[in-house]
Amino acid sequence: MISVIKGDITGLDFDLIVNAANAKFMRGGGVCGAIFSKAGPLLDEYCASLPEGKAGEVRISPAFDLPCKAIIHAVGPIYEGLTKNAQDLASCYWNSVALAYEYMREHELDKVSLAFPCISTGIYGYPHDSACDIAWKTIKKIRSAFPDTKAIDIVFVCYEQVDYELYKKALRSL
Ligand code: AR6
């Protein structure tokens, strides 16, 4: 199942949530700041031990005080107005689903829910409409290439009205 909701990703009861992270996996602003604040200082400590990443890469951490089971930290690209950023943004979605699938198998679960914020569309400046297009295309692509990943319920959590409308429109045209 793929769904779209409007709200705060930190307040809802998903199994896994994705953080729009920076390459150092450090506390930041936006959704990253909200996640670190609610997870508590142990998340800062844990993330300080993670090796630095590049745009498109992901890491997993415990959720500490958040209601979810774990956090997937995806390094979004900083938008430069170049088409090269598209592949890195797609990799965030692809690699997050792959890591969620690994988590599901490791924990012998039949299903997990995976919630995404609109990666890179805030502080990193990616245009909302093209980011939405990449997110949907990538999720559809991985589900069709690896049908077992359909056991992962994908939830796009839109914080801003502009994203909510874009994602709803994409959902209606599925
Ligand atoms: N729940 C869901 N979405 C949210 C929330 C929330 N609580 N808060 C903001 N958003 P941004 P980026 C949306 O700026 O552009 C940080 O400093 C927001 O409306 O959080 O990938 C990191 O450490 C927007 O649609 O992330 C990096 O340095 C989306 O989340 C950098 O910012 C992403 O906006 C990453 O920038």
Side-chain angles (χ1 to χ4, degrees):
M1 197 173 77
I2 307 181
S3 50
V4 174
I5 61 169
K6 187 160 189 290
D8 177 347
I9 205 167
T10 62
L12 300 160
D13 196 11
F14 304 109
D15 296 320
L16 304 170
I17 67 170
V18 177
N19 178 23
N22 53 69
K24 293 192 166 161
F25 302 103
M26 280 167 61
R27 184 187 285 257
V31 67
C32 179
I35 288 173
F36 273 79
S37 295
K38 290 206 184 161
L42 288 178
L43 181 61
D44 296 274
E45 216 174 282
Y46 186 92
C47 286
S49 71
L50 294 173
E52 213 171 291
K54 288 200 276 262
E57 290 184 359
V58 297
R59 308 272 188 270
I60 193 161
S61 79
F64 299 106
D65 292 342
L66 275 168
C68 57
K69 295 188 176 120
I71 306 164
I72 292 176
H73 302 265
V75 184
I78 300 170
Y79 185 68
E80 295 165 312
L82 303 170
T83 45
K84 70 170 182 168
N85 294 137
Q87 185 52 53
D88 289 338
L89 187 57
S91 295
C92 287
Y93 288 93
W94 184 282
N95 291 335
S96 294
V97 171
L99 195 48
Y101 185 70
E102 223 174 89
Y103 177 94
M104 195 175 85
R105 296 294 298 268
E106 257 173 34
H107 292 80
E108 297 179 357
L109 302 168
D110 296 330
K111 266 194 150 327
V112 287
S113 55
L114 173 65
F116 282 101
C118 307
I119 301 170
S120 283
T121 63
I123 293 162
Y124 281 178
Y126 214 100
H128 293 269
D129 51 352
S130 25
C132 171
D133 194 43
I134 290 167
W136 275 98
K137 276 193 181 141
T138 310
I139 295 298
K140 284 197 265 186
K141 200 166 157 189
I142 196 166
R143 286 160 79 90
S144 122
F146 300 100
D148 286 355
T149 61
K150 288 184 183 162
I152 302 168
D153 283 331
I154 304 289
V155 189
F156 290 115
V157 182
C158 304
Y159 195 65
E160 295 176 52
Q161 187 64 22
V162 56
D163 287 316
Y164 185 58
E165 280 163 21
L166 284 167
Y167 278 78
K168 276 293 211 194
K169 193 171 165 208
L171 180 66
R172 281 195 296 269
S173 63
L174 258 193

